[in-house]
Amino acid sequence: MAYNQREEVIWPRLVANKCFKRPMGNSSFVADLSSRDKARSALPDDQPIAKRPQESNKNPITYRLFASTWNVGGIIPPDDLNLEDWLDTRNNSHDIYVLGFQEIVPLSCTNVLGPEKSKITMKWNSLIRATLNKSLSNSQKEQESKAGERQKVYPVKNASSSSFVQDFRCIISKQMVGILVSVWVRGELHRYILRTSVSCVGCGLMGCLGNKGAISVRFWLHETSFCFVCCHLTSGGREGDEVYRNSDAMEILSRTTFPRGHSLNLPQKILDHDRVVLLGDLNYRISLPESRTRSLVERKEWKALLDNDQLRGEVNSGRAFEGWQEGVITFSPTYKYFPNSDTYYDIQGKKGKKRELLHGVTVSSGLEED
């Protein structure tokens, strides 16, 4: 009886908090912070950003950034899930990873109105950490082995992977219902990452709940500000549903706000940052009959599919994402596959509704490096 009484009190409070955007517990992001890093992250907002000696060099510093998005369909990842192909770790060529997920939990009423299930986030981050640092560990062992052969010097047997300077570390991890953003950088870059911040905007039920919306994260690398926006926009394949997706995008851009800082006058809005990347399940469809779409996919007539892509149409007409640039599409439509396969669902769903095809997208603004 006590449990039921407690549940009756908590649920209305959770609903009110989500509706009125009140914080629920600790809203700060989860990150890998040492005691020194914690002290630095606790600096007041008006603390000036120290200019590094190498930043006075006129030659630009180049880093490789990997940004990707994945709607996992509410399925908990197995312990042996292999992420190496997705994260492209074999060449050990990326310095920063920005990973966006949608539907890490089923979008049920309980998950939308209740507290976030942090264990799911922890599991995804554990898999990411193991994958990224496994690749570094293997790469460093190969280098040490080759150096040892040349110099007759062999690595210490008890050396642990934690001693590697280049191990990847999580600087930001934030969940909102089914959306998750996880940002990882090489250990050697960690000291140059400053002013990390997170902003969540819900656009789902009642126009404010987090079953749809975006998590935006920002940080400085040296003296350049970066902002990454992970979205899950309104679904639906009916004619005119793209208007709701456009509306979600405008809400996210207008309502997302970051702290300005006491005296630094930091950018508050998404588009105020130097480099902006938007990624996610935007849910725009291909405006063709289902059978026609499938026929074009089978014949690999990508141009005809892209010519009828809703997102491109909305951008070209100026109704959404004006001024943004979309990356080159090099893959077939991604909706909707049978689990663990490259096979599309049948044309007719269980309830006789047609299932349309769309592509997952990553779009960007101001990505050209100096």
Side-chain angles (χ1 to χ4, degrees), residues 218-234:
R218 70 101 174 268
F219 59 83
W220 262 254
L221 174 57
H222 297 290
E223 292 185 323
T224 301
S225 61
F226 290 82
C227 182
F228 297 88
V229 185
C230 179
C231 299
H232 194 184
L233 306 186
T234 297

Side-chain angles (χ1 to χ4, degrees), residues 137 140-149 152-164:
S137 176
Q140 180 135 349
K141 285 178 181 178
E142 291 177 3
Q143 294 175 8
E144 290 175 342
S145 177
K146 292 178 181 178
E149 290 174 1
K152 303 299 181 183
V153 177
Y154 298 93
V156 178
K157 293 182 179 180
N158 293 330
S160 64
S161 60
S162 63
S163 65
F164 296 157

Side-chain angles (χ1 to χ4, degrees), residues 92-302:
N92 189 26
S93 59
H94 301 289
D95 304 296
I96 303 171
Y97 282 84
V98 180
L99 306 176
F101 298 85
Q102 301 81 40
E103 296 189 44
I104 63 168
V105 296
L107 300 183
S108 64
C109 184
T110 301
N111 288 330
V112 172
L113 296 176
E116 271 75 35
K117 295 182 178 179
S118 59
K119 288 184 178 180
I120 304 297
T121 292
M122 292 171 62
K123 188 160 188 178
W124 277 111
N125 282 334
S126 177
L127 288 167
I128 296 167
R129 177 184 288 107
T131 302
L132 295 179
N133 290 327
K134 175 185 176 182
S135 67
L136 284 175
S137 176
N138 292 338
S139 175
Q140 180 135 349
K141 285 178 181 178
E142 291 177 3
Q143 294 175 8
E144 290 175 342
S145 177
K146 292 178 181 178
E149 290 174 1
R150 291 195 304 268
Q151 304 174 15
K152 303 299 181 183
V153 177
Y154 298 93
V156 178
K157 293 182 179 180
N158 293 330
S160 64
S161 60
S162 63
S163 65
F164 296 157
V165 175
Q166 290 190 333
D167 64 330
F168 276 95
R169 306 174 68 178
C170 181
I171 62 166
I172 300 174
S173 177
K174 180 63 179 176
Q175 177 187 356
M176 180 181 72
V177 187
I179 303 175
L180 169 65
V181 177
S182 191
V183 183
W184 298 74
V185 301
R186 291 186 186 273
E188 62 193 31
L189 292 184
H190 193 264
R191 60 182 295 205
Y192 302 113
I193 301 290
L194 297 171
R195 305 299 169 190
T196 51
S197 186
V198 177
S199 179
C200 298
V201 170
C203 302
L205 297 173
M206 296 182 286
C208 63
L209 296 185
N211 56 306
K212 292 294 188 289
I215 300 175
S216 301
V217 301
R218 70 101 174 268
F219 59 83
W220 262 254
L221 174 57
H222 297 290
E223 292 185 323
T224 301
S225 61
F226 290 82
C227 182
F228 297 88
V229 185
C230 179
C231 299
H232 194 184
L233 306 186
T234 297
S235 60
R238 295 175 299 182
E239 184 177 352
D241 280 348
E242 64 273 15
V243 174
Y244 298 108
R245 295 185 266 277
N246 296 347
S247 176
D248 285 351
M250 288 187 288
E251 285 286 299
I252 289 164
L253 292 173
S254 64
R255 286 167 48 194
T256 298
T257 304
F258 296 100
R260 183 182 294 276
H262 298 307
S263 62
L264 288 178
N265 198 30
L266 303 178
Q268 283 189 297
K269 309 301 291 184
I270 290 172
L271 297 180
D272 294 338
H273 293 79
D274 299 320
R275 301 288 182 263
V276 182
V277 177
L278 184 145
L279 66 163
D281 183 352
L282 305 191
N283 260 316
Y284 288 93
R285 312 296 163 115
I286 294 173
S287 299
L288 290 172
E290 181 91 16
S291 57
R292 172 65 173 159
T293 300
R294 290 177 181 273
S295 175
L296 292 172
V297 170
E298 290 173 359
R299 298 200 301 268
K300 298 184 178 181
E301 296 185 16
W302 310 128

Side-chain angles (χ1 to χ4, degrees), residues 302-316:
W302 310 128
K303 184 180 183 304
L305 290 166
L306 289 172
D307 287 343
N308 290 276
D309 175 66
Q310 278 186 0
L311 176 58
R312 288 199 169 191
E314 296 305 296
V315 172
N316 292 337

Side-chain angles (χ1 to χ4, degrees), residues 335-336 338-339 345-355:
Y335 186 83
K336 189 172 187 181
F338 284 103
Y345 265 82
D346 295 334
I347 292 179
Q348 297 296 325
K350 291 182 179 180
K351 297 182 180 180
K353 292 182 179 179
K354 288 188 177 181
R355 299 185 180 276

